[in-house]
Amino acid sequence: MEEIGFLGLGIMGKAMSMNLLRHGFKLTVWNRTLSRCDELVEHGATIGESPAAVIKKCKYTIAMLSDPAAALSVVFEEGGVLEQICAGKGYIDMSTVDAETSSKISEAITSKGGNFLEAPVSGSKKPAEDGQLVILAAGEKALYEEILPAFDVLGKKSFYLGQVGNGAKMKLVVNMIMGSMMNAFSEGLVLTEKSGLNPQTLLDVLDLGAIANPMFKMKGPSMVQSSYSPAFPLKHQQKDMRLALALGDENSVPMPVAAAANEAFKKARSMGLGDLDFSAVHETLKATKS
Ligand SMILES: NC(=O)C1=CN([C@@H]2O[C@H](COP(=O)(O)OP(=O)(O)OC[C@H]3O[C@@H](n4cnc5c(N)ncnc54)[C@H](OP(=O)(O)O)[C@@H]3O)[C@@H](O)[C@H]2O)C=CC1
Ligand SMILES: O=CC(=O)O
């Protein structure tokens, strides 16, 4: 496959681009904090000095950026994607953003003759390292088919969901459920301890029943130890709750559980926990006096 550009080497972008390199893809990478490119260069990547330079060099460019503001700035600001995108080039934004942001980017890219695909992912740092993401793509179908060899390396399954916005919406629904579940789980762990039971026994019981799931299994033991090394930063989970609640607003869907979960994540951010794993929302409950 042709050389691929990669913009954004945070937790996910680094893991995904390392995985592409491991599978023989040639990559040109860019990150706002340039020093984060060094490790990729050691593994064979080339550095592009700006998003525009990456787009100029590569037929396909993938972006994995923190939030709507970052996704927009990399496209629209000086030295951005729009300066070099043109017919024959594809831009694939895998960041988690709202449908409106994605549509704005899509319109700008296509008005210059380029092709656009949104492709947010479900799965965290470890699935990204292992090529086990679930890819939720929408937009230009031909671009989806052209980039599938890369998606097959990055993920265990790719969904094509139709028009731009559908991938973003699906991702927000999934993360809204995940954030709500994390809060219910955290309340259960605190209630277990405060009522004199062993939280490890709760984890064992949950794992054998109808609500067993990989998230409880993976995050439970570290939450019991108050250990929150970031795989999915809490500030991004709160962003996703906020965007999902806005989607609920647009569609007149009442979401009292998600709204309460969002408040807990906001509280955690106000306690300075935004850069820790999203499971650190547990600290907001543990801090409650009896
Ligand atoms: N971590 C996870 O488990 C998952 C995350 N996601 C989503 O993937 C995206 C990336 O997540 P993750 O890698 O964890 O996040 P990180 O916070 O680790 O990385 C964010 C990236 O965005 C860049 N960035 C932030 N603001 C700007 C800006 N204004 N201009 C240019 N670049 C900017 C950062 O650059 P710099 O290094 O300079 O700060 C960095 O490369 C998010 O949308 C997240 O919601 C989706 C699935 C799982
Ligand atoms: O967006 C986060 C994830 O784990 O998926």
Side-chain angles (χ1 to χ4, degrees), residues 138-166:
E140 178 62 47
K141 184 78 188 284
L143 177 55
Y144 173 74
E145 275 154 13
E146 288 165 36
I147 202 70
L148 262 181
F151 282 179
D152 286 345
V153 164
L154 295 172
K156 61 180 173 187
K157 170 90 183 163
S158 297
F159 290 86
Y160 178 75
L161 300 172
Q163 68 185 22
V164 170
N166 287 352

Side-chain angles (χ1 to χ4, degrees), residues 173-192:
V173 172
V174 171
N175 274 30
M176 182 270 287
I177 297 170
M178 185 168 81
S180 298
M181 276 174 64
M182 174 54 80
N183 274 275
F185 182 45
S186 173
E187 287 179 7
L189 281 170
V190 172
L191 185 58
T192 304

Side-chain angles (χ1 to χ4, degrees), residues 12 96 121-125 171 174-175 178 232 237 240 278:
M12 293 298 283
T96 304
V121 300
S122 195
S124 195
K125 184 179 174 192
K171 173 63 185 164
V174 171
N175 274 30
M178 185 168 81
F232 180 36
Q237 171 68 84
D240 295 349
F278 78 118

Side-chain angles (χ1 to χ4, degrees), residues 219-235:
K219 304 287 182 186
S222 49
M223 288 166 74
V224 170
Q225 303 293 322
S226 305
S227 168
Y228 310 109
S229 166
F232 180 36
L234 187 143
K235 63 186 175 191

Side-chain angles (χ1 to χ4, degrees), residues 184-245:
F185 182 45
S186 173
E187 287 179 7
L189 281 170
V190 172
L191 185 58
T192 304
E193 282 196 77
K194 297 258 178 185
S195 54
L197 298 168
N198 183 342
Q200 183 55 52
T201 310
L202 173 69
L203 298 183
D204 295 341
V205 172
L206 287 174
D207 198 37
L208 290 167
I211 59 167
N213 69 75
M215 182 177 84
F216 291 176
K217 202 175 169 71
M218 191 160 54
K219 304 287 182 186
S222 49
M223 288 166 74
V224 170
Q225 303 293 322
S226 305
S227 168
Y228 310 109
S229 166
F232 180 36
L234 187 143
K235 63 186 175 191
H236 296 332
Q237 171 68 84
Q238 195 271 316
K239 170 257 303 178
D240 295 349
M241 295 308 284
R242 172 169 53 80
L243 297 177
L245 286 166

Side-chain angles (χ1 to χ4, degrees), residues 33-202:
T33 308
L34 268 181
S35 58
R36 284 184 120 168
C37 297
D38 293 350
E39 200 179 335
L40 276 296
V41 170
E42 280 166 28
H43 287 82
T46 307
I47 300 185
E49 70 214 18
S50 63
V54 175
I55 296 279
K56 186 173 181 190
K57 188 168 173 204
C58 302
K59 184 170 164 69
Y60 304 106
T61 298
I62 293 173
M64 193 51 162
L65 302 156
S66 50
D67 54 18
L72 289 168
S73 93
V74 162
V75 171
F76 289 96
E77 280 184 9
E78 196 182 334
V81 168
L82 270 195
E83 289 182 9
Q84 290 294 335
I85 198 85
C86 58
K89 289 187 185 283
Y91 186 62
I92 302 109
D93 193 345
M94 303 187 79
S95 323
T96 304
V97 297
D98 55 318
E100 191 188 339
T101 299
S102 206
S103 299
K104 226 181 257 178
I105 293 172
S106 173
E107 279 157 27
I109 301 273
T110 51
S111 74
K112 293 246 174 176
N115 293 320
F116 178 76
L117 197 68
E118 64 181 13
V121 300
S122 195
S124 195
K125 184 179 174 192
K126 182 82 171 63
E129 287 168 350
D130 297 345
Q132 293 292 304
L133 297 169
V134 179
I135 297 171
L136 307 171
E140 178 62 47
K141 184 78 188 284
L143 177 55
Y144 173 74
E145 275 154 13
E146 288 165 36
I147 202 70
L148 262 181
F151 282 179
D152 286 345
V153 164
L154 295 172
K156 61 180 173 187
K157 170 90 183 163
S158 297
F159 290 86
Y160 178 75
L161 300 172
Q163 68 185 22
V164 170
N166 287 352
K169 289 177 194 169
M170 182 64 84
K171 173 63 185 164
L172 292 178
V173 172
V174 171
N175 274 30
M176 182 270 287
I177 297 170
M178 185 168 81
S180 298
M181 276 174 64
M182 174 54 80
N183 274 275
F185 182 45
S186 173
E187 287 179 7
L189 281 170
V190 172
L191 185 58
T192 304
E193 282 196 77
K194 297 258 178 185
S195 54
L197 298 168
N198 183 342
Q200 183 55 52
T201 310
L202 173 69

